[in-house]
Structure formats: C-alpha cells, structure tokens
Amino acid sequence: MRRGADKPNWPFTFNGNCQLARSGPPVYYFTGGVPGSSFMLDLAGGSNHGILATNGVGTVPTWKFGNGGGNAIFLPGSPGNRVQPRVTLTNIQGNVPVTVALWAKHALTANGLVYEVYCNFGDDAANKEIFLARNPTGQAYFEFGAGAGAVTGTTTLAAGVWYHICAVYTGAATFLYINGVQEGTTAYSAANIGNTQASFGAYKNAGVYILEMAGLIEEIPVFKRALSANEVWQLYDRKTRWQFRWQSNPLILSRSGGGIFAPGG
C-alpha cells in the first residue's frame, strides 16, 4: 500500500476495474474533515469546504468514526444546525443532469411527523432546488421543489444503520437508489436548479434552517451528469467505492495498485 498526501488526480481507476472516474469525476466531493478542524472538505473543488454552522454561527464540528474508516460529521438535530459550503456551488445550476450521493446513519427512528434533510441545493423560494431527505414514514425522498419529479424509496431507513443513498436526474426522469439498488423513478424533464447555495443536514426555508437531521453523514459526491445504475453500484460496493482515511493533517489517502484501497473489500 502506498500513501499520498495530496488530493486525487482525476481521473483514476478504482482497484483496476471501476470505470466511474473515467466517465467524468464529481464537480464536488464533500467528506469528513480532520479531527479538530472546522471544515467538511471538498476534495474535488478544493475551495468549497463546508463549515458547520448553527443559526449562522460557525462552530467546530464533532467528527465520529464513519462507515468506511474515515470521519463522518455528527449532526445533533438541533435548530438551525447544518453544514454550509463556503461558496455558491455554481457548477450545477439550470436544467442539467445531476447525481448526488451520500452515506447516512440516523440517530432516531422516523417519527411520522417531519422530514430529516440530508442535503438541499438551490433556491427554495422559487422551488428550483434539489431536496434529498428521509420522509416522515422513514423512506428516502428526492424532489426538485414543491413535489416536482418526486420519487420515494421503499426501504424503511432504521436508526443506527448506515445506508448509501443516491439521487439521479437524467434530464428525462428522477431515480432513487438505496445501497446500490434502484427503488423508484419518476418521469420528469423540467428541473431548474437555482442559485446553488447548499446545506447538508438541514433545509433552508425563507432564510431559516429547519428539518434538521440527527445522525451522521459522509462521502457526498456531486456529479454534473447522470450516473448509470452500474456506476451507482460502484459508489456503494466496498470493492470499488471511494475510500478515504483521515488521520491528521495532511490528508492520507490509502491506495492499492492503481486505485483506492477499500479495507475489507
């Protein structure tokens, strides 16, 4: 195993058999930061690091051991608590194909009353947004604002369990995958993502952050293209998924052969 202290050099091959990066890398890739750091790091964009904020006040986040050997950000579900990138995410505005994926583990069982938001991109006032959450009955839910293109998963997302959740918009339909398996699709072609301010772990509504998630999230790549079903599986599968280990500053990447090394994969 060899180690490098810099971010990935796109494109590259994952374990010699994953073509995901060759087909087009993510435009953003948010993942767990260095313990003691204030930032969730963007490995793709470099300068779009997210900072944990509560009601507009930046704080040092609590990092917990994640699903794949790295660090995940802990979201306590308190009012207004979210991760906010430092800059507007300009690469995914308009009616463009897009894919957003993440790993999530909820701290609480769905209560039948409120959504818990994983991420929200766009202009909520104009309903030009990506909205990805767990719905009140416990299933993953994806829409473009005001129910546009809405698609709901079938798996009930239990507390204390890691799930890989992936939302895809092709320009003609929305798709939702749980643990690499498609669980729903809706024909839709009118998406229009607005001023792409983003938040993770909460929903921005009229300038106020609500619907906070309680739990952990990590490994959030954003692609300006629609991933195929096979590529979504590669994000999920331990043999091909992106595997970053955070030990201390600088970043340590574990690699095997020509690709990312996934322990246990």
Side-chain angles (χ1 to χ4, degrees), residues 29 37 42 45-46 60 62 68 70 109 138 155 172 176 184 197 206 215 232 237 256 259:
Y29 181 19
S37 165
D42 173 20
V60 177
T62 299
T109 300
T155 298
L176 189 60
Q197 297 180 359
V232 172
D237 187 13
S256 176

Side-chain angles (χ1 to χ4, degrees), residues 64-72 162 216 218-219:
K64 303 259 186 184
F65 189 73
N67 181 49
N71 291 318
W162 280 104
L216 301 171
E218 67 170 350
E219 295 184 42

